[in-house]
Structures are given as C-alpha cells and as structure tokens.
Amino acid sequence: MNEILQRLTALLEERKNADPQTSYVAKLYHKGMNNILKKVGEEAVETIIAAKDGSQEDLIYETADLWFHTMVMLAKAGLSAQDVLEELARREGLSGIEEKASRPKD
C-alpha cells in the first residue's frame, strides 16, 4: 500500500516544476496554499456527503480525491504522506484520550 503513496509523493514533487498550463497539480501549486486548502475543504465536504448517502463507490472515489488533495497540501508545506504515516506509527497503541492529553496546551 505504501508504494502508491511513494509514487504519488514523487510525482507531486516533480510537478512543482511543471508548467501550470499543462499540469493540474502545478496549477494548484501556482495558485498557492489558500487555493489548495479550499480544494481540500471541498473534497472533505464531498467525502462527508458520500459517507452520509451510503454509496461505497462514491465514498471510495471522494476519499481518494480528499487524500490526493491533502497530499498536495502536504507537499506544498514541504511535508509528505510519510510524515503522516510516521505520526500514526508513533500513536499506535496509545489511547486516543492519552494521546490528546499529551499534546501541548496553547
């Protein structure tokens, strides 16, 4: 499963130097983080609606869109899916209540 994330991460990095006229991802990068965040928000809403409506096919499709655009957001921020996977691994076996309590307070 991690292989697809690695290939997609490499592609997203490659597209940082692509022409926005010929690459959707390059166009997102060119428009900036705020536009990427709007797209992530749109995809999150569409994923929620798909989950509510109960179509597994739609839920998978919309979740894929959400993950993709989230990966674009991470790449724009200089991060990758690997960073998120490492955080999930760190949390593995921790109670969600314990993990939340261990976060720094603002």
Side-chain angles (χ1 to χ4, degrees):
M1 180 171 61
N2 200 14
E3 289 177 21
I4 186 66
L5 294 177
Q6 290 171 344
R7 288 194 307 271
L8 185 53
T9 296
L11 179 68
L12 294 176
E13 283 301 311
E14 181 183 301
R15 297 293 163 86
K16 285 181 177 180
N17 300 314
D19 180 357
Q21 298 296 319
T22 60
S23 166
Y24 173 70
V25 173
K27 185 184 229 179
L28 286 173
Y29 288 142
H30 182 74
K31 288 184 174 183
M33 185 61 96
N34 283 343
N35 280 317
I36 293 169
L37 296 175
K38 286 178 189 175
K39 192 63 182 169
V40 171
E42 289 171 18
E43 296 302 341
V45 169
E46 291 172 4
T47 301
I48 291 166
I49 292 167
K52 183 179 175 297
D53 291 345
S55 166
Q56 289 184 339
E57 184 177 314
D58 288 347
L59 181 54
I60 291 168
Y61 182 87
E62 295 301 342
T63 300
D65 281 352
L66 177 58
W67 286 12
F68 176 82
H69 288 91
T70 299
M71 288 182 69
V72 172
M73 175 193 67
L74 289 169
K76 179 71 174 171
L79 300 167
S80 72
Q82 186 61 42
D83 296 305
V84 177
L85 292 172
E86 288 171 9
E87 176 60 16
L88 289 172
R90 185 192 70 78
R91 294 180 187 188
E92 188 174 15
L94 288 177
S95 155
I97 294 170
E98 290 174 21
E99 193 283 324
K100 189 169 183 177
S102 73
R103 295 181 194 173
K105 306 281 188 268
D106 289 331

